[in-house]
Amino acid sequence: MTNMRNLILGAVFLVLLIAVPPLLDLAWQNALVNILIASLFALAFNLLIGQAGLLSFGHAAYFGIGAFAALHLMIAVENGLPFPTPLLPLAGAAAGLTVGLIAGYFATMRSGVYFALVTLAIAELFHSLAPRLEGMFGGEAGIASMRMPWASFTFGSMLSVYYLVLAWVVICGLGLWAYTRTPFGRLTLALRDNEQRVRFLGYNAHASKVIVFAISAMVTGIAGSLLAISNETANYSLFASAVSSQVVLQTFVGGATVFLGPVLGAAAFALFSFLVSDLTRSWVLYQGLIFVLVMLYAPSGIGGVVEHHIRNRKNLDWSRLAGPYLLALAGGLLIAAGVVFLTESASILFGEEYAMARQGANGGLPAYELFGLIWKPLSFVTWTVPAALLAGGGVVLMRARREIGAIWDSKGHGARPAAKSASMGGAA
Amino acid sequence: MNASTTEQAALRLAGVTKSFGPIEVLKGVNLDIRRGERHAVIGPNGAGKSTLFNLISGMFSPSAGEIALNGRSIAGLSPHLINRAGLSRSFQITNIFHRLSVFENLRIGILARHGMRYGLFRPIARMRQVNDETTEVLARVGLEARAHDLAGDLTYSEQRALEIGMTLTTGAEIILLDEPTAGMSREETAQAVDLIRTVTEGKTLLMVEHDMSVVFSLCDRVSVLVYGSILATDTPTGISANRAVQEAYLGEEAA
């Protein structure tokens, strides 16, 4: 029954992913391509942390390798190599797998912090070498190519790129899901739980970890190559530690313990940066706040909270929960409004433009504009507004949290993810 | 070397020494475990029993000496190779996969027995033979009702039973059990003894055990390890009559 329902849900979702994009404008199509690529990257990364219990801080290496491999193949195709454009990601897969086997051999000799540090070092190695290797990575400018037509497909439009990316992401996602159902997939979980016992049951734990690492790097390479196909260019900044840390944040916010959790996190972050990055320069700060709040109040991530609710859906009195949940959402939005007001005010008041305005006002503190209104920095009102938002939101949120906790406890459940999801609303 | 006894021994230790820095924990241990026997190693705390097990199972390499499994040297091999050669061990401190189900805990070892260590191309749910054998081991250790619970949620004695079950799954002929009844009540101990007796039928058993009643009811022979060397090896009755053993070890308890 459950399987049948999941299958139908998945099919409906896939139909939406196919049918809706033609109705969207170019910017949204491009955003969806980026969301899909980020999702696949996060799924591949989560094979390590979620299933094998290995936290890599250097997955940018395999993402970048995949992108450059695909671009080199694209350049070869431009120069006449007969290779079908839809299969370009195979270059990323091969490169990711090869580099993953070598890097994984060394990284997985250790676990925990040492593993994380070795992966970080390997990615930094690529980041510092790439600008110097003109032939392979094109120096600081990077390399570029064009998607060549194949059969009757020209791959000229963003929409055709979207479908190519969608096909690869769905196939790889299904592959990673199937992986969890194989003997080696089950062994991966055992490695996470207790590597020593795995060894004493006759398994070569190191070799097993190298294979898991290489598979993760291979799929990461595919994700990187999809980005290269979409952008038609890549440079050494793909190896930056920001790329490595972004996938860590996305995976943990989405929930590493749930298979589709990383997809939720990747989609949320990619969407957030698409929608907010044009509005404010502080969007990275907001991302960081979201991450901290999720780690503090919902360590199992969005996916974990969703899963917890699905698992208990039959024991919960949804009509009683709806009110407190809405209240929590309202409280979260109030706090978010307060935080945004303060952050944006600070970024204006300490910004260069304001410093120039002060010079014009002979060192005084001129009024500034925010959300279409004029605020005076020394006015009582200016600081009462955010204070009231924060305090009011806090009171509302605490009350909602108590009520939600009481309802969950009355069902005999110790965990209270409701309060956690409320806190997440606080940052969004 | 004495040819006739070498042939008989399932496991033979000759002059096995282990030092940690300046401390010599084992000082030339000689021990023959015969095929099909149940053999206990007893000794006071700190005598080196756990170190002995760790050397045999490959967790550490011996500083000197020879360890032979069915006549083949295994000293210094890595644990997974020793396991594949037919020797499987349990742990004194429960050492299971806490976040996997009981069934999965056992299935990992069954897969290893069938050499499906890197199976990536067939769903595990369709592996009839593997799943049947897992169910069989599950029944032997009496955990059928708990098959789909997380191993971390089991009671202590259930976890000990699972620990023994996991040790059996790889199909080894020689089983090492490290204090299998430690921390159990009298009733639980009696059950564990019955369990160990049935599951080691037709296999060779070497166990570390503190509970003398367990040793006396289960084992064919006993070796006494004191200060890193074997003081005596005999039948349980022979050991309890041995004056040196009484002085060094049993005497302490009697007094």
Side-chain angles (χ1 to χ4, degrees):
Chain A
M1 279 304 280
T2 321
N3 275 341
M4 200 59 203
R5 196 176 48 225
N6 286 347
L7 211 64
I8 292 169
L9 268 176
V12 168
F13 193 59
L14 187 60
V15 167
L16 286 178
L17 282 174
I18 294 171
V20 172
L23 312 174
L24 303 172
D25 64 21
L26 199 62
W28 268 99
Q29 288 176 355
N30 191 32
L32 283 179
V33 166
N34 289 337
I35 288 175
L36 284 173
I37 292 171
S39 299
L40 184 61
F41 187 11
L43 271 180
F45 168 79
N46 196 42
L47 177 61
L48 281 182
I49 179 63
Q51 298 188 46
L54 295 166
L55 177 54
S56 161
F57 273 122
H59 250 45
Y62 318 102
F63 191 71
I65 292 282
F68 280 105
L71 274 171
H72 279 294
L73 187 55
M74 283 163 81
I75 291 170
V77 173
E78 260 186 277
N79 294 335
L81 180 79
F83 190 88
T85 305
L87 297 183
L88 283 173
L90 289 178
L97 183 70
T98 311
V99 179
L101 277 172
I102 299 164
Y105 178 84
F106 294 103
T108 59
M109 282 180 174
R110 296 281 174 271
S111 295
V113 177
Y114 306 103
F115 170 82
L117 290 178
V118 174
T119 55
L120 181 68
I122 292 168
E124 283 305 307
L125 186 71
F126 278 105
H127 188 238
S128 57
L129 277 181
R132 284 154 225 260
L133 297 174
E134 286 280 341
M136 203 179 288
F137 301 109
E140 295 203 7
I143 55 173
S145 177
M146 303 260 279
R147 293 183 294 269
M148 298 310 265
W150 174 75
S152 56
F153 302 103
T154 58
F155 294 103
S157 70
M158 185 47 77
L159 193 62
S160 60
V161 172
Y162 169 83
Y163 285 124
L164 176 62
V165 170
L166 178 67
W168 273 94
V169 171
V170 168
I171 290 168
C172 292
L174 287 174
L176 286 172
W177 181 80
Y179 170 94
T180 64
R181 304 283 177 124
T182 63
F184 193 71
R186 308 322 287 173
L187 175 69
T188 311
L189 296 177
L191 277 168
R192 171 198 70 188
D193 265 19
N194 189 341
E195 189 185 322
Q196 186 197 52
R197 190 59 190 251
V198 164
R199 230 177 277 134
F200 281 92
L201 287 171
Y203 291 92
N204 184 337
H206 182 219
S208 306
K209 288 198 292 182
V210 173
I211 294 172
V212 180
F213 192 98
I215 292 172
S216 170
M218 177 180 82
V219 182
T220 302
I222 292 175
S225 65
L226 292 173
L227 185 75
I229 293 169
S230 162
N231 291 352
E232 299 183 306
T233 177
N235 70 15
Y236 77 104
S237 69
L238 279 180
F239 294 115
S241 54
V243 178
S244 295
S245 57
Q246 186 76 8
V247 75
V248 176
L249 299 195
Q250 289 173 351
T251 302
F252 278 94
V253 167
T257 54
V258 183
F259 182 77
L260 286 176
V263 173
L264 289 176
F269 272 70
L271 206 58
F272 186 81
S273 78
F274 170 63
L275 293 174
V276 181
S277 62
D278 286 343
L279 300 176
T280 167
R281 271 179 289 174
S282 313
W283 67 281
V284 179
L285 174 79
Y286 297 129
Q287 270 196 358
L289 276 178
I290 295 174
F291 176 71
V292 170
L293 287 172
V294 170
M295 286 303 95
L296 285 178
Y297 295 102
S300 58
I302 303 171
V305 171
V306 171
E307 192 197 49
H308 196 71
H309 280 82
I310 292 175
R311 206 183 303 136
N312 290 298
R313 67 188 179 282
K314 293 204 178 96
N315 311 322
L316 287 172
D317 189 348
W318 289 95
S319 57
R320 268 180 71 207
L321 272 175
Y325 271 32
L326 280 174
L327 196 64
L329 184 68
L333 287 173
L334 286 177
I335 292 180
V339 170
V340 169
F341 187 97
L342 286 177
T343 311
E344 296 305 321
S345 292
S347 87
I348 289 171
L349 292 176
F350 295 105
E352 268 174 46
E353 273 178 48
Y354 193 74
M356 267 151 69
R358 282 193 67 182
Q359 272 175 359
N362 293 324
L365 290 166
Y368 64 97
E369 195 195 329
L370 183 61
F371 304 123
L373 294 169
I374 305 294
W375 307 87
K376 291 186 187 126
L378 292 177
S379 157
F380 181 68
V381 181
T382 306
W383 305 108
T384 314
V385 169
L389 285 170
L390 289 176
V395 170
V396 170
L397 195 59
M398 262 152 61
R399 187 172 153 210
R401 205 176 154 168
R402 248 197 326 274
E403 286 178 24
I404 292 165
I407 295 171
W408 274 86
D409 285 346
S410 70
K411 298 291 156 200
H413 295 288
R416 298 207 293 262
K420 298 164 187 165
S421 62
S423 305
M424 267 148 50
Chain B
M1 286 267 164
N2 187 328
S4 63
T5 52
T6 309
E7 232 175 315
Q8 288 298 314
L11 184 67
R12 153 170 278 228
L13 279 71
V16 171
T17 300
K18 179 68 184 175
S19 308
F20 294 101
I23 304 158
E24 200 172 45
V25 179
L26 293 178
K27 302 163 183 166
V29 170
N30 297 303
L31 188 60
D32 275 9
I33 309 298
R34 297 176 191 147
R35 191 171 315 286
E37 78 168 333
R38 295 196 180 93
H39 196 122
V41 176
I42 63 171
N45 284 327
K49 303 186 296 293
S50 290
T51 305
L52 186 68
F53 262 37
N54 286 338
L55 292 182
I56 297 172
S57 62
M59 193 181 291
F60 308 139
S61 304
S63 308
E66 192 46 67
I67 303 173
L69 183 69
N70 297 323
R72 197 188 127 207
S73 171
I74 58 164
L77 284 187
S78 44
H80 70 272
L81 294 177
I82 293 178
N83 183 285
R84 289 181 203 174
L87 183 146
S88 183
R89 71 166 291 182
S90 76
F91 290 81
Q92 184 184 346
I93 296 160
T94 307
N95 204 345
I96 57 180
F97 305 116
H98 285 90
R99 287 183 284 175
L100 298 187
S101 73
V102 172
F103 188 83
E104 294 225 49
N105 266 268
L106 294 170
R107 192 165 60 183
I108 295 288
I110 301 280
L111 285 166
R113 171 198 291 191
H114 288 281
M116 280 184 263
R117 297 187 189 90
Y118 304 107
L120 258 172
F121 301 104
R122 254 180 76 202
I124 200 165
R126 293 207 202 122
M127 297 182 171
R128 171 79 62 77
Q129 173 92 6
V130 167
N131 292 311
D132 285 354
E133 283 180 34
T134 308
T135 311
E136 201 180 298
V137 178
L138 200 60
R140 286 181 80 186
V141 295
L143 289 173
E144 301 110 307
R146 301 289 250 153
H148 299 293
D149 295 331
L150 290 187
D153 290 342
L154 296 182
T155 66
Y156 179 72
S157 62
E158 283 172 332
Q159 288 188 348
R160 297 305 298 174
L162 176 60
E163 176 80 46
I164 293 173
M166 288 168 76
T167 310
L168 298 172
T169 50
T170 61
E173 302 154 34
I174 302 177
I175 307 289
L176 267 61
L177 299 181
D178 195 352
E179 301 202 25
T181 69
M184 285 189 177
S185 70
R186 193 162 286 276
E187 215 169 291
E188 289 168 339
T189 302
Q191 279 177 8
V193 168
D194 284 343
L195 174 65
I196 295 167
R197 185 177 289 120
T198 48
V199 298
T200 57
E201 201 65 58
K203 295 179 189 290
T204 307
L205 172 69
L206 176 62
M207 67 194 289
V208 167
E209 184 56 68
H210 273 299
D211 187 329
M212 287 308 139
S213 66
V214 172
V215 172
F216 281 65
S217 68
L218 203 54
C219 293
D220 306 307
R221 288 199 306 157
V222 182
S223 293
V224 184
L225 187 67
V226 179
Y227 298 126
S229 40
I230 299 283
L231 188 65
T233 296
D234 207 339
T235 59
T237 40
I239 283 292
S240 47
N242 185 313
R243 185 155 297 263
V245 172
Q246 280 170 2
E247 276 170 19
Y249 179 55
L250 294 176
E252 285 173 24
E253 261 188 8

